[in-house]
């Protein structure tokens, strides 16, 4: 029997059971992480783990039909299967973008499409784990009245959906008028208690932290390490999809910096367990209007102080005071990582450019693609490299961003790839004429 526990991520001698309601180290106040027994992972060789995970990849029902839970031994080995609440998360495509790769001088460029998921973002990967654990705690008699989060939109959508499936009340705290209509309607539809506050994400986070001092209100933000346990499965899926050969770089958008922490954990586990034999480098991509990690990177990580985040189209990463900045710095240091930023115009055009190869990229994926282009242009990412960009959400969640881009109505953005509909009378002659004009016009997609 493995016994996973919470331990201090700053290295203190502190540990707690996963059934306890605890988010910080009692000694230093640092964040926690889930520690698995190394002997538990070492019970199988790398080849055996690979074979096990590969064999489950075709499962069409049961917990192994989830891209998270088919790695259950590495996620929450002790959780009884009957407590798992899955909405079929994970198992997302790795979409090649060969034309964009060529334009950037890269060997390969792939989008890991985490937004093709139950609630449209990678947040599902972590929320299935957190909500399953809460369901278990309630079943064994722990008093958890509700699960609560502050959100820039996607966390609340995932929390509300998984809690709805598990019949657990959820409370979501959102910054008023700072998230998309699609994101707002998701927790409403799933029956969450939706509290809309006149502040930004950082303000909502402070309030939810104060509220969840009450242990019967369970905190679902990514400072809760259970989320990261599920999110680390993205590394396991990428490993499998690239036939257990790490890419040269993984580029990931970062806000609160939990996801890059989870990515680092997953990759390290793959390497330590012998499924891959070398680690990729990692680049964290931020919007220039909310880039505390980029600022910190440029000081050699001497100055990790928060900033005031300004409004950006990449609203889910409009965070000035990232809760996981210290662990993200450690990931960048361990993975030869960098942090780089993208302007509003760069992110919008990069998203639109990917769409011309069949994607439907949200603004955060745009940030990551634009940062990839910057790093390739500066040869920080060497020519010919194989790069995976983590697409964190589905473009469907940001219809306003998409529509206004193509209307050339995004402030401060010159839409290089705008594709406005042609308005015509309902007459076949006029339509034929317009088509002749348009199809014979040379088009360039640069
Ligand atoms: C939450 C989120 C992020 C940022 O993830 P962090 O773990 O906060 O760094 C990026 N993109 C989207 C679409 C998100 O919802
Ligand atoms: Zn500690």
């Amino acid at each position: 029997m493995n016994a996973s526990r919470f331990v201090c991520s700053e290295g203190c001698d502190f540990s707690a059971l996963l059934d306890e309601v605890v988010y910080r180290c009692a000694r230093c106040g640092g964040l926690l992480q889930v520690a698995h027994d190394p002997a538990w992972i070492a019970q199988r060789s790398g080849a055996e783990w690979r074979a096990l995970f590969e064999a489950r990849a075709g499962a069409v029902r049961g917990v192994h039909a989830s891209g998270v839970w088919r790695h259950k031994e590495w996620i929450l080995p002790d959780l009884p299967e009957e407590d798992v609440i899955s909405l079929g998360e994970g198992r997302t495509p790795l979409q090649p973008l060969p034309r964009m790769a060529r334009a950037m001088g890269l060997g390969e460029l792939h989008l890991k499409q985490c937004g093709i998921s139950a609630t449209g973002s990678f947040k599902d990967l972590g929320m299935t784990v957190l909500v399953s654990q809460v369901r278990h705690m309630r079943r064994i008699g722990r008093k958890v009245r509700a699960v609560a989060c502050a959100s820039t939109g996607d966390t609340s959508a995932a929390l509300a959906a998984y809690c709805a499936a598990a019949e657990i009340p959820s409370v979501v705290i959102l910054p008023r008028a700072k998230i998309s209509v699609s994101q707002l309607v998701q927790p409403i539809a799933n029956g969450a208690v939706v509290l809309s506050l006149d502040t930004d994400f950082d303000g909502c986070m402070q309030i939810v932290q104060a509220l969840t001092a009450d242990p019967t209100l369970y905190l679902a933000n990514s400072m809760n390490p259970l989320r990261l346990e599920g999110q680390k499965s993205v590394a396991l899926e990428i490993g499998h999809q690239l036939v257990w050969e790490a890419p040269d770089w993984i580029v990931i958008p970062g806000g609160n910096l939990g996801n890059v922490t989870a990515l680092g954990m997953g990759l390290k586990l793959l390497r330590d367990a012998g499924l891959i034999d070398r680690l990729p480098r990692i680049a964290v991509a931020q919007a220039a209007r909310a880039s505390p990690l980029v600022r910190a990177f440029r000081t050699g990580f001497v100055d990790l102080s928060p900033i005031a985040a300004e409004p950006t189209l990449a609203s889910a990463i409009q965070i000035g005071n990232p809760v996981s900045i210290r662990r993200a710095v450690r990931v960048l240091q361990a993975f030869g990582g960098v942090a780089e930023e993208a302007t509003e115009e760069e992110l919008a055009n990069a998203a639109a450019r990917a769409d011309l190869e069949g994607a439907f990229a949200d603004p955060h994926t745009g940030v990551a693609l634009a940062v990839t282009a910057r790093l390739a242009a500066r040869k920080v990412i060497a020519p010919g490299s194989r790069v995976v960009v983590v697409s964190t959400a589905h473009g469907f969640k940001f219809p306003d961003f998409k529509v206004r881009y193509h209307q050339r109505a995004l402030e401060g953005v010159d839409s290089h790839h705008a594709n406005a509909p042609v308005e015509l009378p309902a007459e076949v002659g006029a339509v034929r004429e317009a088509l002749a004009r348009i199809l014979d016009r040379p088009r360039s997609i640069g």
Side-chain angles (χ1 to χ4, degrees), residues 305-382:
S305 50
I307 62 165
E310 288 167 40
T312 164
L313 293 164
S315 50
I317 55 175
Q318 186 187 322
I319 296 175
N321 188 13
V323 68
S324 291
I325 192 161
R326 292 170 62 82
R327 14 192 210 197
V329 166
R330 286 196 289 267
V331 168
L332 290 189
Q333 287 169 335
F335 285 79
V338 302
E340 183 52 272
E341 63 189 16
T343 65
E344 300 295 291
E345 174 159 300
E346 286 175 313
L347 75 88
N349 281 317
R353 176 65 188 74
D355 292 356
L356 291 174
E357 266 181 271
F360 194 64
D362 73 295
H364 315 86
T365 304
V367 171
L369 287 165
V371 159
T372 305
R374 274 194 184 197
L375 295 174
R378 293 212 321 260
K379 300 201 166 38
V380 175
I381 298 181

Side-chain angles (χ1 to χ4, degrees), residues 390-407:
V390 177
S391 172
T392 45
H394 203 298
F396 282 158
K397 286 197 168 212
F398 303 89
D400 201 46
F401 165 68
K402 292 302 211 188
V403 170
R404 288 196 300 144
Y405 178 88
H406 289 287
Q407 290 172 335

Side-chain angles (χ1 to χ4, degrees), residues 118-314:
T119 75
S121 86
F122 78 84
K123 299 296 201 294
D124 292 349
L125 302 174
M127 216 50 90
T128 182
V129 174
L130 184 138
V131 173
S132 298
Q133 172 64 23
V134 171
R135 187 190 205 203
H136 176 68
M137 288 159 64
R138 282 164 59 105
R139 200 166 57 76
I140 63 172
R142 294 292 158 113
K143 188 163 190 289
V144 179
R145 279 185 300 154
V147 188
C149 74
S151 177
T152 51
D154 292 330
T155 302
S156 49
L159 178 66
Y162 282 85
C163 280
E167 286 193 79
I168 298 172
S170 62
V171 177
V172 309
I173 299 183
L174 303 168
R176 183 177 300 157
K178 291 196 174 68
I179 70 172
S180 77
V181 173
S182 316
Q183 290 171 315
L184 174 62
V185 80
Q186 286 183 287
I188 290 175
N190 288 129
V193 178
V194 179
L195 307 175
S196 179
L197 307 191
D198 248 331
T199 178
D200 59 5
F201 172 78
D202 294 306
C204 291
M205 191 67 216
Q206 275 177 11
I207 287 176
V208 82
Q209 289 200 33
L211 291 176
T212 53
D214 170 355
T216 68
L217 271 184
Y218 194 79
L219 177 68
N221 281 97
S222 63
M223 64 181 284
N224 186 324
L226 292 171
R227 290 257 314 275
L228 306 193
E229 285 303 296
Q231 288 171 210
K232 80 186 183 197
S233 67
V234 74
L236 314 187
E237 287 202 339
I238 291 170
H240 186 180
Q241 285 168 309
L242 294 178
V243 206
W244 309 110
E245 206 187 291
D248 298 305
W249 282 85
I250 298 182
V251 185
I252 184 167
N256 233 345
L257 305 175
N259 208 27
V260 62
T261 304
L263 176 69
M265 287 161 44
L267 290 167
K268 194 169 167 306
L269 197 48
L270 278 180
R271 206 261 324 257
D272 292 351
L275 282 76
I276 57 175
D277 53 21
R278 72 181 174 89
L279 295 174
R281 296 180 69 187
I282 292 179
V284 173
Q286 297 198 300
R289 291 183 175 174
S291 55
L293 186 69
V294 177
R295 286 245 310 243
F297 175 69
R298 289 176 183 165
T299 69
F301 298 129
V302 174
D303 179 5
L304 304 186
S305 50
I307 62 165
E310 288 167 40
T312 164
L313 293 164

